[in-house]
Amino acid sequence: MQDKTYKLIELVGVSATSMEDAIQNAIGRANQTLKNLDWFELVEARGLIQDGKVGQYQVKLKVGFRLMG
Amino acid sequence: MQDKTYKLIELVGVSATSMEDAIQNAIGRANQTLKNLDWFELVEARGLIQDGKVGQYQVKLKVGFRLMG
Amino acid sequence: MQDKTYKLIELVGVSATSMEDAIQNAIGRANQTLKNLDWFELVEARGLIQDGKVGQYQVKLKVGFRLMG
Amino acid sequence: MQDKTYKLIELVGVSATSMEDAIQNAIGRANQTLKNLDWFELVEARGLIQDGKVGQYQVKLKVGFRLMG
Amino acid sequence: MQDKTYKLIELVGVSATSMEDAIQNAIGRANQTLKNLDWFELVEARGLIQDGKVGQYQVKLKVGFRLMG
Amino acid sequence: MQDKTYKLIELVGVSATSMEDAIQNAIGRANQTLKNLDWFELVEARGLIQDGKVGQYQVKLKVGFRLMG
Amino acid sequence: MQDKTYKLIELVGVSATSMEDAIQNAIGRANQTLKNLDWFELVEARGLIQDGKVGQYQVKLKVGFRLMG
Amino acid sequence: MQDKTYKLIELVGVSATSMEDAIQNAIGRANQTLKNLDWFELVEARGLIQDGKVGQYQVKLKVGFRLMG
Amino acid sequence: MQDKTYKLIELVGVSATSMEDAIQNAIGRANQTLKNLDWFELVEARGLIQDGKVGQYQVKLKVGFRLMG
Amino acid sequence: MQDKTYKLIELVGVSATSMEDAIQNAIGRANQTLKNLDWFELVEARGLIQDGKVGQYQVKLKVGFRLMG
Amino acid sequence: MQDKTYKLIELVGVSATSMEDAIQNAIGRANQTLKNLDWFELVEARGLIQDGKVGQYQVKLKVGFRLMG
Amino acid sequence: MQDKTYKLIELVGVSATSMEDAIQNAIGRANQTLKNLDWFELVEARGLIQDGKVGQYQVKLKVGFRLMG
């Protein structure tokens, strides 16, 4: 079983600025506790409205990383 | 029946700049006639091509707001 | 059969910057060999992670163009 | 915010004749109260059976129109 | 348990003429052996091409009918 | 065009008790301003968690009603 | 070929009370004519509205059972 | 109505060996009681785990056959 | 590798008359440049509204054909 | 990166009584080891049949919670 | 625009043996006329039944390759 | 709360040989750190192409296991 195996976790990142920033925030947070982060898949995008404007982007994403040894 | 009820409407916002700007435009327009806008859900993203470049982003989104009374 | 017919091709564009830039890159590349590019539809968004940050956005999109004569 | 915004409403049109006729009926009805009808998207098709024959086609469609000023 | 129960079966009807005719054919055939046919739901539409023309429409549909007693 | 046309609106009903109660609440609220409510379709179910228990069920549903005249 | 094979049928159960009751009704009816009922999968939930209240829950479900011999 | 009509049934086949074998088992079983089996469509694949290994593949498939007469 | 391989292309056909006519138009156009057209799959149906009527049906379809030798 | 990030885990809760009870059971179990449980999303509902009755409801749900600093 | 762009084409490969063999056949055929084949995505699996056995596996897949310069 | 609760994790297993082998590899790896592995659900299948052949099968699957006490 020398073949690699990967795990995916599902996160929701938020940002007041953009969907890209929300993705970055979730990945940055995951990087604090997980190594080998490899790829992400965007699952869903939504957000909050405040005073008639987008107040917060919320992106649901899956983050894949290699399971070690 | 003191529980809240929310309604969702479906809009298409457009922008020459970005998907975020197209979302903002649709929400800004909805805000002219509706109060209590609360959240949005991105349903679809597409756009027009002009001269080999993106000419217009078109985002379909659902906008949720609380029904009063 | 004077009615128009359109063809859709599926592309993946990449960018280190944003999803919009990845869309633009794919459309710019298609424009090198195809005329009459008309619209695009976003199919999927994902990306690569490098050093705990988004290293590359990858957007899968369909690009529609009119078939001539 | 000079960019256009569009709204989509969801209708079910019926007809004893064909799916196209059911689509036309729903759009004709919407046209009584809404201006600027622009496009439609077919969502679902079903129908009733009477005496072993299709008695009624029922098409669910979204109808898009531009929100004015 | 006096409440009604319905069963759905899945059929593919074919026709050289139209999707509506293909639907009618499948329902007409089902009516030979089943009573109480009540409604149908269109699941999928496809077909065969012969000599550069549609040779046969194939519609997959679910047909619902009440289970007696 | 004597054929009937139906409109669907999308609502989110909430309840601390059950999904059925959340459905009822949304329909009861719609009934305050709309006549001829005819059927509903469950689109999505989710909810809030408070103190390790379901604090609120949130059901998204479509409500169909006949357009008069 | 000693391996087991299972068949799924699709039913719609109804109830004035709850979705669970509608599920039970469909399964109870299937049990009158089929043996070895094993599991169910909820496919869709909808219902009728009467006098501004849910008049009938309608659940579409698949019921799986083992094929003998 | 000389056009053909086809019926689809849904089965789950199992095998300890492979998904192909599970498909074959379901089709072989269906062939005991049905004639004219024509095509299958893979709907879902899952399985059981025993002692840290796949113990059983379970494939859900639709099997189509022509209705006679 | 004597086994056949098929390719699918995605087209949008249009017609002022019916969805069947829009399908035929797309297939007729494809037949001008491709041989061995074999089957089609309906992917999506939409259209334009003009003066409160369907002005144009737009059907998105996949067209399959055998790749020669 | 002061923005919040949320994680979703996927659970299956079971209950002999109702879907709501199965949801509650899964959330109660998750609450034993996780803090800050925030919301849930219903993914799938199925169950076991015993003696011609629902023996067990099985609900698959995603549970979201905030990742701490 | 030094970023890479990829194109996806959709194929159906067939085999009497296995789904893997059907995938290989389609990729082998694509490799005769296209360079830089990079990845594939399985879209659909179905097949033909002959004499109560799987006569042919048919896998629909997307094949991605890099567009040069 | 004596009812059981199950958790699902999402993995990607790879293999140069077959989809079954890729499933086995992912499950074998999960078995190194998790007990009570119970079932899996196939979510997606894709792969890499090398020298015009499948170089690696990649299967995304969910693995379910019982949460202890």
Side-chain angles (χ1 to χ4, degrees), chain H residues 50-64:
Chain H
Q50 291 172 329
D51 301 326
K53 296 182 182 172
V54 175
Q56 185 183 64
Y57 294 96
Q58 302 168 327
V59 297
K60 192 190 284 181
L61 66 167
K62 295 189 181 182
V63 175

Side-chain angles (χ1 to χ4, degrees), chain F residues 7-58:
Chain F
K7 185 176 179 179
L8 290 126
I9 57 169
E10 199 164 21
L11 301 174
V12 175
V14 307
S15 163
T17 315
S18 69
M19 294 189 281
E20 281 82 353
D21 194 47
I23 294 171
Q24 294 274 14
N25 282 345
I27 289 172
R29 179 59 185 80
N31 193 48
Q32 291 179 18
T33 51
L34 290 167
K35 295 182 180 176
N36 310 310
L37 297 184
D38 206 353
W39 85 97
F40 71 92
E41 307 171 12
L42 187 55
V43 175
E44 186 183 286
R46 51 198 296 156
L48 300 181
I49 304 173
Q50 291 172 328
D51 301 325
K53 296 181 183 174
V54 176
Q56 185 182 64
Y57 293 96
Q58 303 168 327

Side-chain angles (χ1 to χ4, degrees), chain L residues 5-67:
Chain L
T5 300
Y6 301 84
K7 185 176 180 181
L8 290 124
I9 57 168
E10 198 164 22
L11 300 175
V12 176
V14 306
S15 164
T17 315
S18 69
M19 294 189 280
E20 280 82 353
D21 193 50
I23 293 171
Q24 294 274 15
N25 282 345
I27 289 171
R29 178 62 184 78
N31 193 49
Q32 293 179 16
T33 52
L34 290 167
K35 294 183 180 176
N36 309 310
L37 298 184
D38 205 352
W39 84 98
F40 70 92
E41 307 172 12
L42 186 56
V43 175
E44 189 183 285
R46 50 196 300 156
L48 298 181
I49 303 173
Q50 291 172 327
D51 301 326
K53 296 182 183 173
V54 176
Q56 185 182 64
Y57 294 96
Q58 302 168 328
V59 298
K60 193 190 283 181
L61 65 166
K62 294 189 182 181
V63 175
F65 57 97
R66 187 174 168 193
L67 291 173

Side-chain angles (χ1 to χ4, degrees), chain D residues 13-58:
Chain D
V14 305
S15 163
T17 315
S18 70
M19 294 189 281
E20 280 83 353
D21 195 48
I23 293 171
Q24 293 275 13
N25 282 345
I27 289 172
R29 179 61 185 79
N31 194 48
Q32 291 179 18
T33 51
L34 289 168
K35 294 182 180 175
N36 309 312
L37 298 184
D38 206 354
W39 85 96
F40 71 92
E41 307 171 12
L42 187 56
V43 175
E44 186 182 287
R46 49 198 298 156
L48 300 181
I49 302 173
Q50 291 172 328
D51 301 325
K53 296 180 182 173
V54 175
Q56 185 182 64
Y57 294 96
Q58 302 168 328

Side-chain angles (χ1 to χ4, degrees), chain I residues 3-59:
Chain I
D3 284 307
K4 304 168 186 174
T5 300
Y6 301 83
K7 185 176 179 180
L8 289 126
I9 57 169
E10 198 165 22
L11 302 173
V12 175
V14 306
S15 163
T17 315
S18 70
M19 293 188 282
E20 280 83 354
D21 194 48
I23 293 170
Q24 294 273 15
N25 282 345
I27 289 171
R29 178 62 184 78
N31 193 48
Q32 292 179 18
T33 50
L34 290 168
K35 294 182 181 175
N36 310 311
L37 298 185
D38 205 353
W39 85 97
F40 70 94
E41 307 171 13
L42 186 55
V43 174
E44 187 183 287
R46 49 197 300 156
L48 299 181
I49 303 174
Q50 292 172 328
D51 302 325
K53 295 180 183 172
V54 176
Q56 186 183 65
Y57 293 96
Q58 303 168 327
V59 297

